[in-house]
Amino acid sequence: MGIAWVFPGQGSQKLGMAAAVLDLPDARQRFALASELLGRDLLAICAGEGLDAIAAPTDLNDTRNTQPALFVIESLLVDGLRQQGRSADLVAGHSLGELVALYAAGVFDFETGLALMHRRSTLMAAAGGGAMTAVMGFDRGELDALVAATEDVVIANDNSSAQVVLSGSPQAVAAVAGQLTCKRAIPLAVSGAFHSPFMADAAQAFAQELEAVPFADAQVLVLSNTDPTPATSGETIKVRLIQQMTTGVRWRETMDQFTALGIDTAVEIGPGAVLSGLIKRSGEGIATAQVANAGDLGQ
């Protein structure tokens, strides 16, 4: 029996998500620390306080708010599981979820992770000018051929055999999505071409930030987005994290690794159940569970 802890990324956030973890130890202190670092009330942003119904989701969906908010919430849930004596055999996170996975694996402490998430989100938000579109229900060969024949577009998130996210220039992304025979193509509300070469400057700046940050060896196996082969070396994990901003999220291959490594249960830690859905549809027979709030820790 093997257990994987998996951590969702941007897109799993929703208004009110913080209220479900506020009864956990240190919850308000962590939100206060994050708010001080960001220079704005992150807890109020999560609740939509003081904002009208239209503005509130937009504020929470700002990359600079989304990433730290999810890091705080998911880290609190990790600590809740730890306090119950629970552990995982391996960890993996989708995009920003990878930083929470590294926290869960003991690679760095909460304060370090929060500072890295703040820097990452700021750099990504500033690297505008691109677009992303999710496509579902397509022929993989046709997709790969279109991407290969079109400049300035890549597969940013290879989520499953039936779902990917394209990233690149608005024109190139629209061209591939328009030519591809698929069930659905949904433009994403993002400010840039994340997980693509358009993030090169941001990745370089993030790499300079990481140089001075010590990464301990992981206490459990880590599957990174850019290279989903098992690793525990802190230096290896750091190199992979640097590469993550300009390369794709290889989640389809990550799920394949679960089976190869004997994982039979995947626990999604954070709001929603997007990763659980992908794992269920992968058809590998892996059981899934969700820990999205303090109540789930009592189960």
Side-chain angles (χ1 to χ4, degrees):
M1 176 179 178
I3 296 175
W5 285 357
V6 298
F7 301 90
Q10 203 158 329
S12 61
Q13 71 276 7
K14 57 184 178 180
L15 285 178
M17 64 182 182
V21 300
L22 288 182
D23 290 337
L24 294 175
D26 299 327
R28 293 189 181 276
Q29 294 93 317
R30 288 194 180 182
F31 271 105
L33 183 62
S35 297
E36 182 179 358
L37 182 64
L38 271 61
R40 48 193 176 273
D41 191 337
L42 189 60
L43 191 55
I45 290 170
C46 287
E49 295 175 4
L51 297 169
D52 60 48
I54 295 177
T58 302
D59 208 26
L60 178 59
N61 291 344
D62 185 321
T63 297
R64 297 167 298 176
N65 298 328
T66 310
Q67 295 193 25
L70 288 172
F71 182 79
V72 171
I73 290 170
E74 292 176 19
S75 70
L76 286 167
L77 294 171
V78 166
D79 287 355
L81 289 168
R82 285 172 171 167
Q83 289 161 9
Q84 294 180 342
R86 303 190 196 186
S87 61
D89 297 293
L90 70 80
V91 296
H94 192 285
S95 192
L96 74 87
E98 184 168 317
L99 273 84
V100 194
L102 299 186
Y103 169 74
V107 174
F108 45 65
D109 59 20
F110 171 77
E111 289 78 8
T112 299
L114 179 62
L116 290 176
M117 191 68 81
H118 171 49
R119 183 64 173 150
R120 179 184 188 273
S121 63
T122 301
L123 289 168
M124 290 177 69
M132 301 181 76
T133 291
V135 294
M136 284 79 74
F138 50 84
D139 177 80
R140 186 71 187 216
E142 181 189 7
L143 172 65
D144 288 342
L146 284 170
V147 170
T150 308
E151 292 185 358
D152 295 333
V153 63
V154 297
I155 296 175
N157 299 346
D158 187 359
N159 290 330
S160 72
S161 60
Q163 182 191 124
V164 304
V165 176
L166 302 173
S167 182
S169 72
Q171 298 81 3
V173 170
V176 172
Q179 295 175 71
L180 180 67
T181 302
C182 63
K183 291 182 179 178
R184 299 177 70 190
I186 305 173
L188 303 183
V190 296
S191 61
F194 302 153
H195 298 292
S196 81
F198 280 68
M199 293 286 114
D201 290 344
Q204 183 177 5
F206 192 52
Q208 293 173 351
E209 189 88 7
L210 285 173
E211 282 182 6
V213 180
F215 273 34
D217 289 344
Q219 297 168 4
V220 298
L221 296 178
V222 174
L223 302 183
S224 299
N225 288 177
T226 190
D227 185 348
T229 55
T232 56
S233 163
E235 284 305 308
T236 297
I237 290 168
K238 180 186 288 190
V239 170
R240 292 179 177 181
L241 184 62
I242 293 170
Q243 296 170 342
Q244 189 217 57
M245 293 180 75
T246 55
T247 59
V249 176
R250 295 164 61 181
W251 194 256
R252 176 173 55 90
E253 295 170 78
T254 297
M255 294 188 295
D256 290 342
Q257 284 281 9
F258 292 165
T259 301
L261 295 170
I263 296 298
D264 56 21
T265 302
V267 182
E268 183 168 2
I269 301 172
V274 173
L275 299 183
S276 297
L278 291 172
I279 293 168
K280 288 177 182 178
R281 289 190 292 274
S282 72
E284 298 296 340
I286 297 173
T288 60
Q290 293 79 45
V291 177
N293 53 56
D296 292 336
L297 292 169
Q299 296 180 0

